[in-house]
Amino acid sequence: MRRLLILDYALSSLWRRRYKNFSIIAVFTLTVAVLGSILLLTHSLKMEASEILAGAPDLVVQRMSAGRHDLIPVRYIEEIEKIPGVGAVKSRCWGYYYDALTGSNFTLLGLDETATHEIHLLEGSMPKAEGQCAVGPGVARIRNVKVGDELILIDSTNTGVVFEVVGTFTEESSILTNDLVVFPKDDLVWFFGLPEGRATDITVEVFNESEVSTVAGKIKRMYPDTRPITRREIVQTYDAVFNWRSGMMLTVFLSALIAFSILAWDKATGISAEERREVGILKAIGWDTSDVLELKFWEGTVISLTSFLLGLIFAFVHVFFFGAPLLTPVLKGWSVIFPDFHFTPYIDLYQIAVIGFLTVVPYVASTVIPSWKTAVTDPEEVMRS
Amino acid sequence: MVRHRIFIVLTALKVAILIGILLYCRGHLRVLEGSEVPAKRALSRQLGLTDLSIWTEARYTRHPSQADFFAPFQDFPSSLEHFPAGSVVAPPRFAAPVRTEPSPE
Amino acid sequence: MKEPAEALIWTEDVTKVYNPRLPDEVRAVDRVSVTIDRGDVAVLKGPSGSGKTSLLSLIGCMSRPTSGRIFVDGRDVAKLSESLLTAIRRETFGFIFQQYNLVPDASVLENVLLPLYPVGLRPSEMKQRANRILEGLGIENRRRLKVRKLSGGEQQRVAIARALVNEPDIIVADEPTAHLDRQRSADLLRVLEDLNMQGKTIIIATHDAQVYDHVFVTRTIEMGDGRVEAERLS
Ligand SMILES: Nc1ncnc2c1ncn2[C@@H]1O[C@H](COP(=O)(O)OP(=O)(O)OP(=O)(O)O)[C@@H](O)[C@H]1O
Ligand SMILES: [Mg+2]
């Protein structure tokens, strides 16, 4: 009962300074919302990457030449296939295309005839014959094409080439396919004018997961000009990419945090004369030091808990229901084609607990600690004020 | 003396909303894990896709995992560069030393 | 001199030194020994700076003496822990401060309830008590108003109501008439007289003749320069 009464008094004393306190709650909520959004978003993307890219090739072998990625001779395949434990070894042909019309970059991918043609998340069909292509949703949007339309691309001899769009990948797949244009492999080789016997890179299937790095080492020794990339490295890259400690996100995160710390600092150092006097009065009329500290504890808890919960709700709604419209511009950078995110709600409860801990606890501390000194002094002072 | 009740009710309400959102997200995730996620994984396997199509402004942002490891200039993943998306892309930390030096048998 | 246990308040050689061993050392209370009995109306009188407020705060358990002993209701308060001292302050004393010391932005009712929060009564009982006292002082219709909006006399009554809400045995008032005109002072004295009739002990620090010459005063303690210069019963 006593505890609830003191909570009650804390609420009324907060209400007395409601303009100040509501602005603190607003800023605090915003901080939590920004912080929460960043963490939810990056975690979701990180999980998405590791879940989806589990389908990536076990090993990708690139060729390096003069410090750059170069086309790889297809004949390497024969030797690689002989390594024990290795399954299918295939050449991949793909490349980039700058679309001067829209100022955007596409990824052009040549598909093997051997590739499965029953494909999910596709409207229409995969290109089977010469002159056909399938496009990602971003390409379809920016070039305004749909199944049955024509897509004109400029080839390496500066000639316009007409392709028929026979399939479009669905929006749900946009995180993988947004900027893709898929052709039959021969079309791509011809379009880019790739030299005979060369491919962009080689994918290697390794039966036993634990042998991947051994195989990679063998390939590297066999062909010192190559660079094998394992699937684990691919997934690790995305871990690093979305690591919440890195880059722009951290900047946003930090500035929010700094703004908030300034606020908290201001509160911590600026226990007002009015508040000090109130504490003195309370002590003089029979509040114990612990009662006063409890009052301050409740004041801090009410504000920070309210803000934390509100901020978290905003963050969830913002990221998972609206696709983080306030953060995607930060992510987007200079990309012209950018996917419409539908974040898969992977949620890390531990991360949420950390946000809670990092916001609520310091705030409560910064309310309680500065009033400590006032609370322990003799109340005699108020008799002379 | 009803203030603390209002506060407790409001707080409980917020917690309930949060739990509701969490449960909804969980359910939605289950559904996606049963349909969309495997479909995307299959797509990645069928097309041999190694990267997410998020940033389309440069080679190393479109395919960060395939970025040239040795290229010293713009393509070097940790270079100071001028594409904003690069600021969210940390240089890949490769664990296996296989690409830098061939280990003796 | 009486035994400590018999008197309500009993002090022996109480001394309060501010800033001891510093150049600005002040001996605000100097070896004061006084006795106040249950039912007394005691007046501390003396010029400004003579140590009235300092002595009141020692008696009221708001500060600790530098040396000497103070007994309140038979207990040696100089030896009590901080929280017991607070408990005595809460249960035995009702304070009426010179500046009222109300929380200006809180309502009248809230101000009166302040001393009850740490007690842990039921809210309905708290309200009942406060309302009864506000009615007795004739300001129950101001209950919901902010203290800031009240007149000086009304604020004083809120301060009195707050001093009474814990049903204390001793009312301590420091210059209660300093901000009041003659009429208001007379009203206040009537309230204090009523309280004394109800059995409360009253201690007033003042240099207002209207107070110390009042007939209800039973004990006058004259102070000068931190010492008791005269103690009279009437
Ligand atoms: N905290 C303090 N530090 C230093 N000196 C103090 C302190 N409090 C009071 N004093 C000094 O103690 C002396 C007695 O002060 P006190 O307030 O008890 O006098 P008073 O009789 O109540 O005067 P007044 O009638 O003006 O209220 C004064 O000289 C005052 O300056
Ligand atoms: Mg005084």
Side-chain angles (χ1 to χ4, degrees):
Chain A
M1 194 69 241
R2 237 176 105 253
R3 205 136 272 173
L4 289 181
L5 285 175
I6 290 181
L7 167 60
D8 214 89
Y9 185 73
L11 288 167
S12 97
S13 118
L14 289 174
W15 182 253
R16 252 181 273 137
R17 292 179 277 263
R18 55 186 164 279
Y19 298 110
K20 181 184 152 207
N21 287 320
F22 278 127
S23 38
I24 291 177
I25 288 181
V27 175
F28 199 161
T29 301
L30 189 73
T31 312
V32 175
V34 170
L35 233 143
S37 294
I38 293 173
L39 293 183
L40 290 177
L41 177 141
T42 49
H43 183 72
S44 165
L45 284 174
K46 209 152 66 166
M47 288 298 292
E48 176 118 43
S50 77
E51 289 290 322
I52 295 177
L53 296 178
D58 295 324
L59 211 52
V60 175
V61 182
Q62 290 179 349
R63 175 162 176 264
M64 303 302 294
S65 162
R68 302 166 143 261
H69 179 192
D70 198 13
L71 298 175
I72 193 164
V74 190
R75 66 181 157 77
Y76 283 12
I77 293 178
E78 291 158 32
E79 290 303 313
I80 293 174
E81 271 177 335
K82 288 181 195 150
I83 298 174
V86 165
V89 182
K90 290 182 216 159
S91 64
R92 291 200 307 171
C93 290
W94 57 275
Y96 301 105
Y97 175 81
Y98 175 67
D99 187 45
L101 199 64
T102 57
S104 50
N105 293 316
F106 300 158
T107 299
L108 272 45
L109 181 66
L111 209 65
D112 250 322
E113 291 87 338
T114 54
T116 330
H117 284 216
E118 294 160 43
I119 280 192
H120 303 277
L121 304 172
L122 178 78
E123 276 166 33
S125 60
M126 287 302 278
K128 292 180 199 80
E130 201 173 296
Q132 291 184 337
C133 72
V135 297
V139 177
R141 205 178 315 125
I142 204 161
R143 290 293 296 259
N144 196 19
V145 292
K146 53 185 187 307
V147 175
D149 287 352
E150 288 178 343
L151 179 72
I152 300 172
L153 302 176
I154 311 294
D155 74 3
S156 53
T157 60
N158 205 19
T159 317
V161 183
V162 181
F163 292 96
E164 187 200 349
V165 178
V166 295
T168 53
F169 293 99
T170 61
E171 278 295 340
E172 290 82 61
S173 72
S174 67
I175 196 154
L176 269 175
T177 62
N178 202 41
D179 70 337
L180 283 189
V181 183
V182 182
F183 309 98
K185 200 183 231 169
D186 292 341
D187 269 2
L188 187 97
V189 169
W190 170 79
F191 181 82
F192 278 141
L194 294 182
E196 188 65 32
R198 296 281 173 122
T200 311
D201 49 29
I202 290 171
T203 64
V204 180
E205 186 188 1
V206 180
F207 293 131
N208 189 342
E209 177 103 44
S210 60
E211 281 175 12
V212 172
S213 56
T214 323
V215 172
K218 281 186 181 155
I219 294 172
K220 177 77 186 163
R221 274 193 300 284
M222 213 183 273
Y223 298 112
D225 61 343
T226 60
R227 172 199 175 201
I229 301 165
T230 65
R231 183 168 57 217
R232 219 184 88 223
E233 287 168 342
I234 291 174
V235 173
Q236 269 177 3
T237 304
Y238 279 89
D239 264 0
V241 166
F242 296 120
N243 200 321
W244 66 278
R245 274 169 298 204
S246 65
M248 186 71 95
M249 293 300 203
L250 180 64
T251 317
V252 177
F253 173 103
L254 261 186
S255 50
L257 215 63
I258 288 169
F260 181 65
S261 319
I262 291 171
L263 191 90
W265 172 254
D266 183 53
K267 248 194 90 62
T269 50
I271 173 166
S272 65
E274 198 187 333
E275 274 175 276
R276 211 195 321 274
R277 191 174 143 83
E278 193 177 323
V279 169
I281 294 173
L282 292 178
K283 282 215 73 181
I285 62 178
W287 285 50
D288 212 352
T289 304
S290 63
D291 296 329
V292 173
L293 293 179
E294 196 176 322
L295 167 68
K296 292 294 165 187
F297 168 81
W298 279 124
E299 285 186 11
T301 306
V302 166
I303 295 230
S304 53
L305 195 65
T306 303
S307 314
F308 170 64
L309 291 175
L310 279 180
L312 214 54
I313 291 174
F314 280 141
F316 271 110
V317 171
H318 174 228
V319 173
F320 293 127
F321 294 81
F322 291 108
L326 302 178
L327 278 184
T328 39
V330 181
L331 263 185
K332 184 174 175 180
W334 290 5
S335 306
V336 176
I337 296 186
F338 195 64
D340 252 349
F341 283 111
H342 303 278
F343 295 104
T344 312
Y346 295 104
I347 293 160
D348 185 0
L349 289 178
Y350 171 75
Q351 222 171 35
I352 291 170
V354 170
I355 309 178
F357 189 79
L358 286 184
T359 51
V360 173
V361 173
Y363 189 83
V364 173
S366 79
T367 345
V368 173
I369 291 168
S371 47
W372 194 289
K373 216 178 129 212
T374 319
V376 295
T377 48
D378 273 346
E380 193 207 6
E381 236 174 80
V382 302
M383 292 198 73
R384 295 177 212 277
S385 58
Chain B
M1 298 292 148
V2 291
R3 276 179 293 251
H4 68 262
R5 261 178 239 157
I6 296 175
F7 170 72
I8 290 171
V9 167
L10 283 180
T11 304
L13 192 71
K14 274 172 269 179
V15 171
I17 291 176
L18 257 182
I19 291 177
I21 291 177
L22 281 174
L23 289 180
Y24 171 80
C25 285
R26 198 136 162 228
H28 190 53
L29 179 62
R30 285 254 162 84
V31 172
L32 291 180
E33 274 178 337
S35 58
E36 232 180 89
V37 175
K40 283 190 243 181
R41 195 179 302 141
L43 199 62
S44 156
R45 180 162 35 245
Q46 287 162 334
L47 304 188
L49 302 175
T50 53
D51 285 87
L52 301 183
S53 169
I54 297 177
W55 303 282
T56 55
E57 55 205 31
R59 267 153 56 183
Y60 60 90
T61 60
R62 175 63 181 87
H63 290 100
S65 75
Q66 310 289 302
D68 305 0
F69 191 61
F70 300 100
F73 300 113
Q74 180 185 305
D75 289 350
F76 180 53
S78 66
S79 65
L80 281 174
E81 41 72 57
H82 41 270
F83 287 99
S87 54
V88 272
V89 182
R93 288 170 310 179
F94 293 109
V98 286
R99 277 164 289 96
T100 42
E101 44 186 330
S103 57
E105 190 74 309
Chain C
M1 183 162 272
K2 289 192 175 184
E3 281 302 301
E6 284 172 49
L8 183 57
I9 289 168
W10 183 92
T11 73
E12 184 185 62
D13 287 340
V14 165
T15 302
K16 179 75 181 180
V17 181
Y18 291 107
N19 311 324
R21 287 182 295 281
L22 289 176
D24 51 352
E25 179 183 281
V26 180
R27 210 164 256 273
V29 176
D30 194 5
R31 279 168 284 144
V32 167
S33 303
V34 292
T35 309
I36 296 171
D37 287 323
R38 213 171 286 277
D40 266 351
V41 175
V43 165
L44 290 180
K45 132 180 197 200
S48 190
S50 56
K52 303 184 295 293
T53 301
S54 304
L55 183 57
L56 267 192
S57 62
L58 287 170
I59 290 173
C61 302
M62 295 237 212
S63 60
R64 289 171 187 274
T66 313
S67 65
R69 293 193 296 164
I70 303 176
F71 281 74
V72 174
D73 213 0
R75 275 180 294 183
D76 188 350
V77 296
K79 288 188 186 136
L80 293 182
S81 72
E82 185 65 40
S83 61
L84 279 174
L85 221 54
T86 309
I88 291 189
R89 212 152 58 220
R90 187 169 59 224
E91 285 153 18
T92 314
F93 290 96
F95 295 93
I96 303 169
F97 302 98
Q98 189 172 344
Q99 314 282 348
Y100 311 142
N101 277 335
L102 300 169
V103 181
D105 286 319
S107 71
V108 167
L109 185 63
E110 238 167 8
N111 267 285
V112 175
L113 288 175
L114 276 187
L116 292 180
Y117 282 97
V119 177
L121 298 175
R122 266 182 298 120
S124 57
E125 197 182 338
M126 284 168 70
K127 278 208 179 124
Q128 227 171 1
R129 270 211 216 178
N131 283 332
R132 202 173 55 229
I133 288 163
L134 286 171
E135 266 166 43
L137 292 166
I139 46 170
E140 75 275 15
N141 56 348
R142 297 280 190 279
R143 252 196 324 251
R144 303 256 158 237
L145 274 184
K146 276 188 183 180
V147 162
R148 192 187 282 292
K149 295 190 176 143
L150 300 182
S151 75
E154 286 167 332
Q155 290 191 20
Q156 171 113 54
R157 285 192 218 180
V158 177
I160 296 172
R162 190 181 63 187
L164 294 179
V165 79
N166 264 335
E167 298 170 351
D169 292 337
I170 308 170
I171 306 285
V172 173
D174 191 10
E175 317 236 10
T177 58
H179 293 303
L180 302 181
D181 57 28
R182 277 197 78 78
Q183 184 52 45
R184 290 261 170 67
S185 302
D187 290 346
L188 171 77
L189 290 173
R190 202 165 310 125
V191 171
L192 291 178
E193 196 173 358
D194 276 352
L195 289 170
N196 182 235
M197 304 277 232
Q198 289 161 29
K200 307 223 183 277
T201 306
I202 293 172
I203 308 172
I204 311 171
T206 188
H207 49 224
D208 181 356
Q210 200 185 349
V211 179
Y212 59 73
D213 289 343
H214 198 278
V215 287
F216 74 176
V217 175
T218 59
R219 189 183 289 269
T220 310
I221 299 163
E222 262 183 64
M223 294 194 66
D225 219 4
R227 324 187 75 157
V228 176
E229 294 190 330
E231 194 175 356
R232 266 198 316 277
L233 291 175
S234 49

